[in-house]
Amino acid sequence: MQEFYNRSILTVLTFLPMVAALLILLMPRGAVIAIRGFALAAALVNLALSVPLFFLFRSAEAGMQFELQVPWVYLSGQPAITYHVGIDGISLFMVLLTTFLSAIAIAGSFGGIRTREREYYALMLFLEAGMAGVFVALDLVLFYTFWEAMLIPMYFIIGVWGGQRRIYAAVKFFLYTMIGSLLMLVAILVLVWLNYQHTGVRTFDILQLSAVPMTRAAQNLLFLAFGLAFAIKVPMFPFHTWLPDAHVEAPTAGSVILAGVLLKMGTYGFLRFCLPLFPEASAAFAPLLIALAIIGIIYGALVALVQPDMKKLVAYSSVSHLGVAVLGIFVFTLQGMMGGMVQMISHGLSTGALFLCVGMIYERRHTREISEFGGIWAVMPKYGALLIMVTLASIGLPFMSGFVGEWLVFLGSWLANPWYAVFAATGVILSACYMLWMIQRVLQGEITHEQNRGLKDLNLREMAVLVPLVAGTIWIGVYPKPVLDRIEPSLARIQEIVAPAQPFAEDPAGPMSFRGVRDEESPPARTSQTYERQVVVQPRDSSHRVRNDNPAAHRVRNDSPMSFRGVRDEESPPAQTSGAPNNAPQESGR
Amino acid sequence: MIWNATVPFGAWAVLSGLLFTMGAAGFLVRRDPIVMFMCIELMLNAGNLLFVAAARYLGVVDGQVYVFFVMTVAAAEVAVGLAIIVAIFRRKTTIDVDEMSEMRG
Amino acid sequence: MRAYLWLIPLLPLLGVLINAWFGHRLPRRVSGAVACLVVFGSFVLGVAALIRLIGMPPGQRIIYHKLFPWISTGGFESAVALMYDPLSAVMVCVVTGVGFLIHVYSLGYMAHDPRYPRFFAYMNLFTFAMLMLVLADNFLLMFVGWEGVGLCSYLLIGFWFERKSASDAGMKAFIVNRVGDFGFLLGMMFIFAVFGSLRFHDVFKQVAADPATLTLTVTGICLLLFVGATGKSAQIPLYVWLPDAMEGPTPVSALIHAATMVTAGVYMVARCWIMFLNAPLALTVVACIGALTALFAATIALVQNDIKRVLAYSTISQLGYMFMACGAGVFAAGVFHLMTHAFFKALLFLGAGSVMHAMSDDTDIRRMGGLMKWLPVTGVTFWVGTLAISGIPPFSGFFSKDEIIWSSLAGPMGSWVFWVFGVVTAALTAFYMARLTFKVFHGQPRMSGEQKHHLHESPPSMAWVLILLAVGASLAGFLNIPPAIAHLLHLPERWTAAFTNFLEPSVGTHEQAVYLLEASVGGSQIGFAKLAHGLQHNAALEFGLMGITLALAAGAILTGRWMYVSRPGTGTALARKLPFLFRTLQNKYYLDEFYKAVIVRPGMALGNALWRGFDVLVIEGIVNGIAIATAIISRLFRVFQTGYVRNYAAGILAGAILIIWVLMR
């Protein structure tokens, strides 16, 4: 039974929504209740099916789990393209986020979607299938297919059920993403061709492609091609302008999915493709990406500060928050990367909830202008309480998920270079400014508009949609260990590939040489399942770092006054503090 | 008994060419989509004729197989095309092709 | 022992859950009782743990309890782990003890508020966060409480969120605190980068073992941490939020903005005493900021007319005292003042609340006067608070303030400059408190007839709290009788400086401080040519200085009586003579306006410029420009699309003929 689950679950998660979507299209147009119920049931079944993944996932392993590989297309007798799915710690949570947010988004649409409901729910389920496919695919063709396929339902969801300028927003979203992904398609083909040149094997399998030797120029170009696709998707600073338009025009559930899952495909892509496939190029471009990420953090926050539209405010806050995630990924310290990953999950939950909150008052008032509200906490106490909790999760209050991610990212970037952390952490102040100011203008004060006096508080369905999200952020905030433990080995493996990579500094034979040197140093088989867990503390070697290697020096001197009372040993020696300072300093992080 | 070909291949080719030219000319000058359809059929069948003749002339069966494909495609095309014409007529109450220039750039 | 340490913070959390989920369905009585009982439960547990602690040998007075791992990944470890040592014990007892009394007071004070359960949920949440702050055994968990109390402060200041001023004040408090938290965050990262751990134990052990080489690093860390402390404890330059925080309900001002939360910075500095003593430069900064804030806030308090704002500035000033003591290297004195201050400032705030209650929520002291007649309990207890804060013996403030003023001179980092600041501030404190008390409770009644008609003493639940706090404010000082006085009165050994001795395991002794400072100065190039070793306890000098302070304070009170009771017009006349000084003080040195002009407005302008200028014009211009360019190019090819089928067909035909011609050629 479990064997069957292990092999088939990812396929089921991907195609079950697709089947459900087709079935919905067969239902009569008018059976709205049945359509809604069926769509929600399908999403819930998918969610229920995905939950065991979390428990069955073997957290000590870095490699792929729940794998299934079936030959698909043969090229000269070799199964070049395969149906290959599998998840590691990174994609596990992306898949869970997908199933979770899809169910929430579908349940959250009942109030807002009043036209063409059959097509809407079918598209939502198609979207879920596409997103799940992107995260489980381990074959580049399969990945690219899902990556593109998922654009179509999103395009229609924005373009059909959106607001005033929906066509503009939908086309902009589509074209923007397409530009990136077409370059990525070219890069995929080049990568496969390079691999063929080198090994004589035609394959699109991600795991097999991860050690393709290539010239510096080729690696840089491929990194840029992949990176542009992902940077647009994230979206990183200069490529972000599609996001506010798409968010403002999209229906609530569309925004939830867009912010919660679609944007994560960018950061996921960086982790899955850019870093392991092109480590030297990643190292070479890391300063640029870090700079863009930090600019994005501050820029997004400052622009969010002055937005008159709630949804736009949340959209720009996404630019800021995902800047934090990208920063964490590209500082190449394990803490930073872990933080980036947690930030992705956390942002999915908290921003999803924020968009739902905005949608809920939009359904009541048909406006999102902040100035149209004011004082509605008095008439909607439950809404006020939940909005405040969601906001706090978003601004990274401790014991909420945002803090875990932000703290780890800032810590990781401090270890890489303290200035990164100094600039990035200003986002902590700015996020409080724009979020609390919005809270003040929406919830607090006197009721300024008479229409707001009669607003109904949240009903049971709306509570049921929001409360799980809030509970999720608190869970990750208070007890993130299960999450962190599952992610760490997979990220550590990527970090081991990337962190020692020098930006082509040691290329002995000039710019055109293959990168043979690095391969000897790096772990022999990156796909091996026997990853031994290492605790990597990478404190940076810098002038302020004063660490005595002699353990005896840390013993309290008996003749000093500090020995009698100042510091006492506690009852249990701190065995769990692994980065014990008197260890010999390990290799520096970068 | 074996049919003994007395007509030379060249004659078939000329006939096919004539039929095709008629079809093409008709398609270009007529405005009635029904007639235009018939012209298309004429062109397709000109092609078919040449295929069959060539197959016979060369003594291979390939050409005749192609004809079957052409015929099925033509049948499908007519079905779809007529449906479109009916739909257009319902909408515009005319089927004059010169009235239909919405695709102008 | 370990088994119930975790219950101390958990109980208030339970109260939060009950009041937040079921509060509106419970009868008010039950909802309030639950909130008070959970805090009382924590208090009992805290006292039990304290007794247990006293039973242990002084060197081993510490209890650790690790609950569960928190953020631990990639070589970073932190746990939700609690620690109970003398310093935590003092804080826990103050937080839960004074907190409990304020909860009880709130039962009466908030009785008519429609959002009664929500208020108690917030109050319990605050208690929880504050307990996490003081019980944490590592910096990161401390930061949880640190931000948590900031959140509760935000929620409670803006409790009456219909008032724009209240929600403004809440937001200001949170954001200014976040500026401080930014420094705290960076400080924690720095600590981890250097020491590889965030546990107090691990960090301090390393610092203590090797003070000489670590000085430079630790100075950076301490300065960053102190940024956090200036935010939370309302010191220059981040004090601006505290006066505005008075928009919150008065029990909130008493609990959060006087007795507990604002002292978190002092607690943190005292907790990190080893690090601060290893960083003499940082310590000097602490002392200077503290001394400046003490004087600066006291001058503003001289001219404020809002009863709560006077107390707010007085709080800032007293917090400055505590930092000055810490900065002089005598952390125990800072913590002792923290404790006595919790009593008398809570008492004063609650007394102010009682006055406001009677005055129909009017806070302007120009419309009060002679209230002693109608509010005898409030008046008498308020006088106790005034005398305590003015440092008149035998009230508690005398002992703690005298300790601080003496330490600022005699501490290992002490100096005459600090002593002068301390004494001048003491005189000013006595004067503004006298002004406040005389204007409110004595002289001619100046309120309107309407208000006069409604004047009434507070209900017993509130009055009893005032009395209990007054007892505390009178007697708490005897916990720490200075050796000079004890010697004079021939008191037994265990009465002498009992509080300081109890705290010593947590905040160090004089010898330890000197040792650390010497090691730091010796090992670094910071430039302390000669370190003050501190003065020995010189009874004559001590009594002499004490006499100066006392005489000044008593004189100030008498001057206050003369100016505001005997000759009521004097104050106004003085203000008219010095209009510039008066206006500057009344406008709090224009610091709010300064921040608004230098930070808030430019920040908003920058946001707008980035949005409308950069985002919309530049980036969108490029994006849409590409689209427009494409459209222009495509216009060239439009002419080929006539829309007529036959044109296309002719094109196809021509093309086919062309291809055939090419092939046949």
Side-chain angles (χ1 to χ4, degrees), chain A residues 117-237:
Chain A
E117 293 182 58
R118 185 177 64 172
E119 289 76 11
Y120 175 83
Y121 291 107
L123 284 172
M124 285 298 282
L125 288 167
F126 270 125
L127 189 60
E128 180 177 2
M131 295 184 301
V134 166
F135 293 126
V136 300
L138 291 179
D139 183 279
L140 281 171
V141 173
L142 195 62
F143 168 79
Y144 190 77
T145 310
F146 282 121
W147 174 276
E148 292 288 292
M150 159 223 90
L151 279 182
I152 300 163
M154 200 66 215
Y155 171 77
F156 282 112
I157 286 172
I158 298 174
V160 177
W161 291 273
Q164 290 288 318
R165 295 168 70 228
R166 56 180 179 262
I167 304 290
Y168 172 77
V171 171
K172 194 173 182 181
F173 161 74
F174 199 90
L175 287 183
Y176 235 126
T177 330
M178 276 302 274
I179 290 169
S181 45
L182 285 177
L183 281 176
M184 184 169 76
L185 179 63
V186 176
I188 288 174
L189 295 175
V190 172
L191 184 68
V192 169
W193 182 75
L194 281 175
N195 185 51
Y196 176 65
Q197 295 290 82
H198 184 68
T199 62
V201 179
R202 289 192 178 92
T203 181
F204 283 84
D205 196 292
I206 294 168
L207 303 181
Q208 289 185 44
L209 285 172
S210 54
V212 189
M214 60 188 93
T215 63
R216 170 179 176 168
Q219 202 181 135
N220 278 349
L221 284 174
L222 291 182
F223 176 88
L224 285 179
F226 271 94
L228 183 70
F230 301 140
I232 288 174
K233 204 82 168 181
V234 167
M236 287 185 68
F237 159 61

Side-chain angles (χ1 to χ4, degrees), chain C residues 508-529:
Chain C
T509 61
H510 186 78
E511 294 78 34
Q512 286 173 333
V514 171
Y515 165 79
L516 275 169
L517 280 170
E518 272 179 341
S520 314
V521 174
S524 78
Q525 305 301 317
I526 289 187
F528 280 79

